[in-house]
Amino acid sequence: GAGVSQSPSNKVTEKGKDVELRCDPISGHTALYWYRQSLGQGLEFLIYFQGNSAPDKSGLPSDRFSAERTGGSVSTLTIQRTQQEDSAVYLCASRHPGGKSYEQYFGPGTRLTVT
Amino acid sequence: QKEVEQNSGPLSVPEGAIASLNCTYSDRGSQSFFWYRQYSGKSPELIMFIYSNGDKEDGRFTAQLNKASQYVSLLIRDSQPSDSATYLCAPGGYQKVTFGIGTKLQVIP
């Protein structure tokens, strides 16, 4: 079946502009995660959704970052007034609700470049 | 102390050798662990998960979990150049998941 999809795959924006990144999880996956990965760095947790609610927003770096999820499916990560340090690959992952395993399935990522 | 600690490497092994990747964790409540492989410029992909003490084998890969000592390891037998990647470990969890920084493995032909 279809995997996690993200759009756009690449985004170049000017400093100070707002950007929206989209994630379409695997159908039936109730949990959705956003991560950020800067060049040569590990995965940085941003936010987690269970259904449409976000019990854990602790990873959002600043109030310029926000995310929402509608219909228990698509999620949008919004970065306002982008800064150069926001340049990174933004990865989305989804997880099946049940079972012993909690493996996450990752999308291909959105590479954000702020100039 | 970080929740999950990994040596960032790079770990270099000759082709055909056994590569041993290690991960220690701080949360004694962690019940399961995952190993993800990430090729340069690509997304992480799941290669192994383990939720019982002991070993779990899948082809050339063996995951080992020692809950008493709070470490999990991944052994890759007969290493191939195509195994060259960064390997991330992460505890299984219902909510927030903290990944290790990842160990970069280089298999030298």
Side-chain angles (χ1 to χ4, degrees), chain B residues 6-12 21 101-106:
Chain B
Q6 288 185 266
N7 187 323
S8 61
L11 171 67
S12 295
L21 306 161
I101 192 171
T103 299
K104 185 174 183 179
L105 173 67
Q106 295 176 338

Side-chain angles (χ1 to χ4, degrees), chain A residues 33 35 37 42-43 45 48 50 55-56 58 91 95 97 100-104 106-109 111, chain B residues 32 34 36 38 41-46 49 51 88 92-102:
Chain A
Y33 300 77
Y35 297 91
Q37 189 170 36
L43 291 173
F45 169 85
Y48 151 78
Q50 178 58 43
D56 194 337
S58 62
L91 290 161
R95 176 174 58 76
K100 279 186 177 180
S101 58
Y102 300 103
E103 66 265 32
Q104 298 180 24
F106 285 83
R111 182 175 297 279
Chain B
S32 60
F34 298 94
Y36 287 82
Q38 186 175 26
K42 301 295 186 182
S43 297
E45 57 177 332
L46 180 71
F49 77 92
Y51 54 84
L88 306 163
Y94 190 71
Q95 298 184 7
K96 177 181 177 179
V97 174
T98 300
F99 282 80
I101 192 171

